[in-house]
Amino acid sequence: MPLHFLLDAPTDARAGDVVLLTGAEAHHAAAVRRIRVGEEVTVGDGRGAWLTGECERVETREVAIRVSAREDVAAPTPRLVLVQALAKGDRDELAVQAATELGADEIVPWQAARSVSRWDGPKAVKGRARWSAIVREAGKQAHRAWIPPVSDLVSTAQLVARAARDRVLVLEPTAGTRLSSIDLVAGAAGDILLVVGPEGGITADELAALGAAGATSVALGATVLRTSTAGPAALAVANLRLGRW
């Protein structure tokens, strides 16, 4: 499989055009992956463009690739959205990384009531940038044509408001319904949100508010998963139920 790289902006390049990798991506291609002139690679823009081409010039600060073919990959529908509660340490980052590799179409950071980590003020900007960097690298590693955006931090009230227009499935170990038993295809007009709580779980008040807005509580199985593994596990189930895998 050819090595894959990402452009920093959407591209309209076609067969015969030359695209340039610059900055950190060029350094990664030339110094880390050690690509060579004449080597075939693939290049994406994270918005559905998928280019195949041959390296014409390889320098530390700029790599030129002559495009031989272009494919425009349609965005998946319905979109699978991971709502990940902030967690201590790097557990939420591990969840975001794995979720990107497993096909999440959007990542939403959630300031849950029991979140030990707090994104207050400037921390929200820094935290979102950190998650976005993780998503970009994970999406590139997984050869994804679409790189999921990381949304602004949401409160429980904002999450409840989204439940009015999208299908919200809250991962709750005590729920009587298994995620694997739900038909995700029928009536999937909006996004499908998979909501994962923090280490201490989702509070009764949060579950009640989400339930009142139309959310459904679902369990993955008999065991209780960490916040770092619950989301990726749910995405694996959802991919199977939607026929993507």
Side-chain angles (χ1 to χ4, degrees):
M1 179 179 293
L3 296 177
H4 182 64
F5 301 96
L6 277 177
L7 299 171
D8 291 328
T11 181
D12 58 359
R14 299 286 173 180
D17 294 339
V18 173
V19 295
L20 299 176
L21 303 180
T22 59
E25 194 72 349
H27 175 79
H28 180 74
V32 180
R33 304 310 298 267
R34 298 185 180 277
I35 61 173
R36 297 290 181 260
V37 171
E39 184 174 352
E40 184 179 80
V41 298
T42 58
V43 180
D45 65 356
R47 313 292 347 129
W50 191 267
L51 311 176
T52 301
E54 185 177 289
C55 297
E56 285 194 341
R57 187 177 72 258
V58 179
E59 300 171 0
T60 304
R61 296 185 178 180
E62 186 174 273
V63 175
I65 300 166
R66 178 74 63 178
V67 179
S68 59
R70 175 187 177 115
E71 179 184 0
D72 289 292
V73 181
T77 56
R79 297 169 71 246
L80 288 173
V81 179
L82 174 66
V83 179
Q84 176 64 50
L86 302 187
K88 64 182 179 181
D90 63 351
R91 289 180 181 175
D92 49 14
E93 294 179 355
L94 290 172
V96 167
Q97 180 184 45
T100 301
E101 294 178 15
L102 291 167
D105 300 307
E106 180 186 355
I107 306 291
V108 179
W110 173 33
Q111 189 74 70
R114 290 176 176 161
S115 289
V116 174
S117 176
R118 312 296 296 183
W119 282 8
D120 299 319
K123 286 186 178 180
V125 176
K126 183 178 179 180
R128 184 184 181 191
R130 169 66 178 164
W131 282 24
S132 295
I134 291 170
V135 165
R136 176 184 170 84
E137 290 307 307
K140 182 172 69 172
Q141 188 278 329
H143 289 213
R144 291 194 58 180
W146 287 85
I147 304 298
V150 177
S151 302
D152 289 332
L153 178 72
V154 298
S155 64
T156 299
Q158 291 170 316
L159 188 54
V160 166
R162 188 159 179 177
R165 66 178 187 273
D166 293 316
R167 188 172 189 180
V168 176
L169 304 174
V170 183
L171 301 185
E172 168 53 47
T174 63
T177 301
R178 296 284 179 91
L179 176 59
S180 58
S181 69
I182 293 180
D183 186 352
L184 297 180
V185 177
D191 296 338
I192 299 174
L193 276 63
L194 301 170
V195 181
V196 180
E199 297 93 331
I202 302 173
T203 67
D205 287 345
E206 288 170 330
L207 288 172
L210 289 166
T216 303
S217 291
V218 295
L220 285 170
T223 58
V224 178
L225 301 183
R226 291 180 183 269
T227 187
S228 56
T229 54
L235 281 163
V237 174
N239 278 317
L240 284 170
R241 297 294 292 164
L242 289 170
R244 296 183 182 180
W245 285 12

